[in-house]
PDB file of all heavy atoms in Angstrom:
ATOM      1  N   ASP W 899     -23.074 -83.197  42.376  1.00 98.00           N
ATOM      2  CA  ASP W 899     -24.400 -83.481  42.934  1.00 98.00           C
ATOM      3  C   ASP W 899     -24.824 -84.921  42.649  1.00 98.00           C
ATOM      4  O   ASP W 899     -25.380 -85.607  43.518  1.00 98.00           O
ATOM      5  CB  ASP W 899     -25.444 -82.517  42.352  1.00 98.00           C
ATOM      6  CG  ASP W 899     -25.324 -81.107  42.898  1.00 98.00           C
ATOM      7  OD1 ASP W 899     -24.566 -80.899  43.875  1.00 98.00           O
ATOM      8  OD2 ASP W 899     -25.986 -80.204  42.346  1.00 98.00           O
ATOM      9  N   ASP W 900     -24.569 -85.377  41.429  1.00 98.00           N
ATOM     10  CA  ASP W 900     -24.952 -86.744  41.054  1.00 98.00           C
ATOM     11  C   ASP W 900     -24.177 -87.778  41.859  1.00 98.00           C
ATOM     12  O   ASP W 900     -24.737 -88.801  42.274  1.00 98.00           O
ATOM     13  CB  ASP W 900     -24.711 -86.965  39.556  1.00 98.00           C
ATOM     14  CG  ASP W 900     -25.742 -86.264  38.683  1.00 98.00           C
ATOM     15  OD1 ASP W 900     -26.793 -85.846  39.214  1.00 98.00           O
ATOM     16  OD2 ASP W 900     -25.499 -86.142  37.462  1.00 98.00           O
ATOM     17  N   VAL W 901     -22.890 -87.525  42.071  1.00 98.00           N
ATOM     18  CA  VAL W 901     -22.074 -88.453  42.860  1.00 98.00           C
ATOM     19  C   VAL W 901     -22.579 -88.516  44.299  1.00 98.00           C
ATOM     20  O   VAL W 901     -22.750 -89.602  44.869  1.00 98.00           O
ATOM     21  CB  VAL W 901     -20.586 -88.040  42.823  1.00 98.00           C
ATOM     22  CG1 VAL W 901     -19.760 -88.905  43.778  1.00 98.00           C
ATOM     23  CG2 VAL W 901     -20.025 -88.147  41.403  1.00 98.00           C
ATOM     24  N   LEU W 902     -22.847 -87.363  44.884  1.00 98.00           N
ATOM     25  CA  LEU W 902     -23.329 -87.341  46.264  1.00 98.00           C
ATOM     26  C   LEU W 902     -24.717 -87.955  46.376  1.00 98.00           C
ATOM     27  O   LEU W 902     -25.020 -88.669  47.348  1.00 98.00           O
ATOM     28  CB  LEU W 902     -23.331 -85.908  46.801  1.00 98.00           C
ATOM     29  CG  LEU W 902     -21.981 -85.174  46.841  1.00 98.00           C
ATOM     30  CD1 LEU W 902     -22.107 -83.867  47.629  1.00 98.00           C
ATOM     31  CD2 LEU W 902     -20.884 -86.038  47.425  1.00 98.00           C
ATOM     32  N   ALA W 903     -25.562 -87.687  45.377  1.00 97.00           N
ATOM     33  CA  ALA W 903     -26.918 -88.247  45.402  1.00 97.00           C
ATOM     34  C   ALA W 903     -26.896 -89.766  45.307  1.00 97.00           C
ATOM     35  O   ALA W 903     -27.803 -90.445  45.807  1.00 97.00           O
ATOM     36  CB  ALA W 903     -27.748 -87.659  44.259  1.00 97.00           C
ATOM     37  N   ALA W 904     -25.857 -90.306  44.676  1.00 97.00           N
ATOM     38  CA  ALA W 904     -25.716 -91.764  44.569  1.00 97.00           C
ATOM     39  C   ALA W 904     -25.156 -92.379  45.850  1.00 97.00           C
ATOM     40  O   ALA W 904     -24.987 -93.597  45.930  1.00 97.00           O
ATOM     41  CB  ALA W 904     -24.810 -92.110  43.385  1.00 97.00           C
ATOM     42  N   GLY W 905     -24.845 -91.520  46.836  1.00 97.00           N
ATOM     43  CA  GLY W 905     -24.341 -92.024  48.108  1.00 97.00           C
ATOM     44  C   GLY W 905     -22.842 -92.247  48.128  1.00 97.00           C
ATOM     45  O   GLY W 905     -22.328 -92.958  49.007  1.00 97.00           O
ATOM     46  N   MET W 906     -22.124 -91.641  47.172  1.00 98.00           N
ATOM     47  CA  MET W 906     -20.677 -91.800  47.110  1.00 98.00           C
ATOM     48  C   MET W 906     -19.970 -90.520  47.547  1.00 98.00           C
ATOM     49  O   MET W 906     -20.588 -89.461  47.689  1.00 98.00           O
ATOM     50  CB  MET W 906     -20.252 -92.186  45.693  1.00 98.00           C
ATOM     51  CG  MET W 906     -20.724 -93.570  45.268  1.00 98.00           C
ATOM     52  SD  MET W 906     -20.015 -94.106  43.679  1.00 98.00           S
ATOM     53  CE  MET W 906     -20.923 -93.068  42.530  1.00 98.00           C
ATOM     54  N   ILE W 907     -18.668 -90.623  47.743  1.00 98.00           N
ATOM     55  CA  ILE W 907     -17.820 -89.488  48.055  1.00 98.00           C
ATOM     56  C   ILE W 907     -17.259 -88.936  46.748  1.00 98.00           C
ATOM     57  O   ILE W 907     -16.834 -89.699  45.874  1.00 98.00           O
ATOM     58  CB  ILE W 907     -16.694 -89.909  49.018  1.00 98.00           C
ATOM     59  CG1 ILE W 907     -17.294 -90.244  50.398  1.00 98.00           C
ATOM     60  CG2 ILE W 907     -15.613 -88.833  49.135  1.00 98.00           C
ATOM     61  CD1 ILE W 907     -16.353 -90.960  51.332  1.00 98.00           C
ATOM     62  N   ALA W 908     -17.264 -87.609  46.599  1.00 98.00           N
ATOM     63  CA  ALA W 908     -16.776 -86.959  45.381  1.00 98.00           C
ATOM     64  C   ALA W 908     -15.472 -86.229  45.668  1.00 98.00           C
ATOM     65  O   ALA W 908     -15.233 -85.766  46.787  1.00 98.00           O
ATOM     66  CB  ALA W 908     -17.816 -85.972  44.850  1.00 98.00           C
ATOM     67  N   MET W 909     -14.646 -86.121  44.637  1.00 98.00           N
ATOM     68  CA  MET W 909     -13.392 -85.374  44.746  1.00 98.00           C
ATOM     69  C   MET W 909     -13.213 -84.528  43.496  1.00 98.00           C
ATOM     70  O   MET W 909     -13.434 -85.008  42.385  1.00 98.00           O
ATOM     71  CB  MET W 909     -12.212 -86.340  44.886  1.00 98.00           C
ATOM     72  CG  MET W 909     -10.852 -85.656  45.021  1.00 98.00           C
ATOM     73  SD  MET W 909      -9.522 -86.860  44.862  1.00 98.00           S
ATOM     74  CE  MET W 909      -9.892 -87.949  46.246  1.00 98.00           C
ATOM     75  N   VAL W 910     -12.845 -83.248  43.667  1.00 98.00           N
ATOM     76  CA  VAL W 910     -12.515 -82.395  42.527  1.00 98.00           C
ATOM     77  C   VAL W 910     -11.091 -81.861  42.719  1.00 98.00           C
ATOM     78  O   VAL W 910     -10.623 -81.673  43.844  1.00 98.00           O
ATOM     79  CB  VAL W 910     -13.505 -81.216  42.350  1.00 98.00           C
ATOM     80  CG1 VAL W 910     -14.895 -81.718  42.019  1.00 98.00           C
ATOM     81  CG2 VAL W 910     -13.522 -80.321  43.573  1.00 98.00           C
ATOM     82  N   ASN W 911     -10.425 -81.630  41.590  1.00 98.00           N
ATOM     83  CA  ASN W 911      -9.058 -81.123  41.647  1.00 98.00           C
ATOM     84  C   ASN W 911      -8.846 -80.053  40.579  1.00 98.00           C
ATOM     85  O   ASN W 911      -9.764 -79.675  39.850  1.00 98.00           O
ATOM     86  CB  ASN W 911      -8.051 -82.273  41.467  1.00 98.00           C
ATOM     87  CG  ASN W 911      -7.975 -82.784  40.027  1.00 98.00           C
ATOM     88  OD1 ASN W 911      -8.756 -82.396  39.158  1.00 98.00           O
ATOM     89  ND2 ASN W 911      -7.033 -83.660  39.771  1.00 98.00           N
ATOM     90  N   ILE W 912      -7.609 -79.552  40.515  1.00 97.00           N
ATOM     91  CA  ILE W 912      -7.143 -78.831  39.333  1.00 97.00           C
ATOM     92  C   ILE W 912      -6.222 -79.799  38.620  1.00 97.00           C
ATOM     93  O   ILE W 912      -5.184 -80.198  39.168  1.00 97.00           O
ATOM     94  CB  ILE W 912      -6.382 -77.544  39.705  1.00 97.00           C
ATOM     95  CG1 ILE W 912      -7.296 -76.569  40.450  1.00 97.00           C
ATOM     96  CG2 ILE W 912      -5.805 -76.892  38.468  1.00 97.00           C
ATOM     97  CD1 ILE W 912      -6.581 -75.294  40.890  1.00 97.00           C
ATOM     98  N   HIS W 913      -6.604 -80.186  37.401  1.00 96.00           N
ATOM     99  CA  HIS W 913      -5.815 -81.173  36.672  1.00 96.00           C
ATOM    100  C   HIS W 913      -4.748 -80.457  35.831  1.00 96.00           C
ATOM    101  O   HIS W 913      -4.412 -79.305  36.074  1.00 96.00           O
ATOM    102  CB  HIS W 913      -6.742 -82.039  35.813  1.00 96.00           C
ATOM    103  CG  HIS W 913      -6.328 -83.473  35.719  1.00 96.00           C
ATOM    104  ND1 HIS W 913      -6.364 -84.324  36.799  1.00 96.00           N
ATOM    105  CD2 HIS W 913      -5.844 -84.206  34.687  1.00 96.00           C
ATOM    106  CE1 HIS W 913      -5.942 -85.515  36.424  1.00 96.00           C
ATOM    107  NE2 HIS W 913      -5.612 -85.473  35.149  1.00 96.00           N
ATOM    108  N   TRP W 914      -4.233 -81.113  34.813  1.00 93.00           N
ATOM    109  CA  TRP W 914      -3.091 -80.578  34.042  1.00 93.00           C
ATOM    110  C   TRP W 914      -3.363 -79.169  33.527  1.00 93.00           C
ATOM    111  O   TRP W 914      -2.534 -78.279  33.662  1.00 93.00           O
ATOM    112  CB  TRP W 914      -2.759 -81.511  32.880  1.00 93.00           C
ATOM    113  CG  TRP W 914      -1.603 -81.018  32.058  1.00 93.00           C
ATOM    114  CD1 TRP W 914      -0.282 -81.049  32.413  1.00 93.00           C
ATOM    115  CD2 TRP W 914      -1.671 -80.411  30.771  1.00 93.00           C
ATOM    116  NE1 TRP W 914       0.491 -80.508  31.415  1.00 93.00           N
ATOM    117  CE2 TRP W 914      -0.339 -80.107  30.393  1.00 93.00           C
ATOM    118  CE3 TRP W 914      -2.696 -80.097  29.902  1.00 93.00           C
ATOM    119  CZ2 TRP W 914      -0.026 -79.510  29.182  1.00 93.00           C
ATOM    120  CZ3 TRP W 914      -2.382 -79.513  28.696  1.00 93.00           C
ATOM    121  CH2 TRP W 914      -1.072 -79.220  28.347  1.00 93.00           C
ATOM    122  N   ASP W 915      -4.523 -78.944  32.921  1.00 91.00           N
ATOM    123  CA  ASP W 915      -5.020 -77.584  32.717  1.00 91.00           C
ATOM    124  C   ASP W 915      -4.178 -76.714  31.778  1.00 91.00           C
ATOM    125  O   ASP W 915      -4.086 -75.506  31.951  1.00 91.00           O
ATOM    126  CB  ASP W 915      -5.138 -76.914  34.095  1.00 91.00           C
ATOM    127  CG  ASP W 915      -6.202 -75.820  34.122  1.00 91.00           C
ATOM    128  OD1 ASP W 915      -7.034 -75.783  33.209  1.00 91.00           O
ATOM    129  OD2 ASP W 915      -6.181 -75.013  35.058  1.00 91.00           O
ATOM    130  N   GLY W 916      -3.505 -77.327  30.805  1.00 90.00           N
ATOM    131  CA  GLY W 916      -2.823 -76.531  29.782  1.00 90.00           C
ATOM    132  C   GLY W 916      -1.357 -76.254  30.015  1.00 90.00           C
ATOM    133  O   GLY W 916      -0.697 -75.641  29.186  1.00 90.00           O
ATOM    134  N   GLY W 917      -0.813 -76.669  31.144  1.00 91.00           N
ATOM    135  CA  GLY W 917       0.621 -76.582  31.340  1.00 91.00           C
ATOM    136  C   GLY W 917       1.152 -75.332  32.006  1.00 91.00           C
ATOM    137  O   GLY W 917       2.370 -75.144  32.091  1.00 91.00           O
ATOM    138  N   TRP W 918       0.277 -74.447  32.505  1.00 96.00           N
ATOM    139  CA  TRP W 918       0.770 -73.229  33.152  1.00 96.00           C
ATOM    140  C   TRP W 918       1.564 -73.522  34.428  1.00 96.00           C
ATOM    141  O   TRP W 918       2.336 -72.686  34.916  1.00 96.00           O
ATOM    142  CB  TRP W 918      -0.384 -72.271  33.452  1.00 96.00           C
ATOM    143  CG  TRP W 918      -1.503 -72.824  34.283  1.00 96.00           C
ATOM    144  CD1 TRP W 918      -2.648 -73.425  33.813  1.00 96.00           C
ATOM    145  CD2 TRP W 918      -1.601 -72.837  35.711  1.00 96.00           C
ATOM    146  NE1 TRP W 918      -3.445 -73.807  34.870  1.00 96.00           N
ATOM    147  CE2 TRP W 918      -2.831 -73.453  36.052  1.00 96.00           C
ATOM    148  CE3 TRP W 918      -0.780 -72.384  36.740  1.00 96.00           C
ATOM    149  CZ2 TRP W 918      -3.249 -73.631  37.364  1.00 96.00           C
ATOM    150  CZ3 TRP W 918      -1.188 -72.562  38.065  1.00 96.00           C
ATOM    151  CH2 TRP W 918      -2.422 -73.182  38.365  1.00 96.00           C
ATOM    152  N   TRP W 919       1.431 -74.727  34.950  1.00 94.00           N
ATOM    153  CA  TRP W 919       2.178 -75.139  36.144  1.00 94.00           C
ATOM    154  C   TRP W 919       3.683 -75.005  35.960  1.00 94.00           C
ATOM    155  O   TRP W 919       4.415 -74.770  36.920  1.00 94.00           O
ATOM    156  CB  TRP W 919       1.860 -76.599  36.474  1.00 94.00           C
ATOM    157  CG  TRP W 919       0.450 -76.859  36.810  1.00 94.00           C
ATOM    158  CD1 TRP W 919      -0.555 -77.225  35.949  1.00 94.00           C
ATOM    159  CD2 TRP W 919      -0.153 -76.769  38.101  1.00 94.00           C
ATOM    160  NE1 TRP W 919      -1.728 -77.370  36.638  1.00 94.00           N
ATOM    161  CE2 TRP W 919      -1.509 -77.103  37.958  1.00 94.00           C
ATOM    162  CE3 TRP W 919       0.340 -76.454  39.363  1.00 94.00           C
ATOM    163  CZ2 TRP W 919      -2.387 -77.117  39.028  1.00 94.00           C
ATOM    164  CZ3 TRP W 919      -0.532 -76.471  40.435  1.00 94.00           C
ATOM    165  CH2 TRP W 919      -1.884 -76.797  40.261  1.00 94.00           C
TER     166      TRP W 919
END
Side-chain angles (χ1 to χ4, degrees):
D899 287 350
D900 286 345
V901 173
L902 300 190
M906 293 188 287
I907 291 167
M909 181 191 299
V910 295
N911 74 353
I912 298 178
H913 216 67
W914 180 74
D915 207 16
W918 56 268
W919 297 92

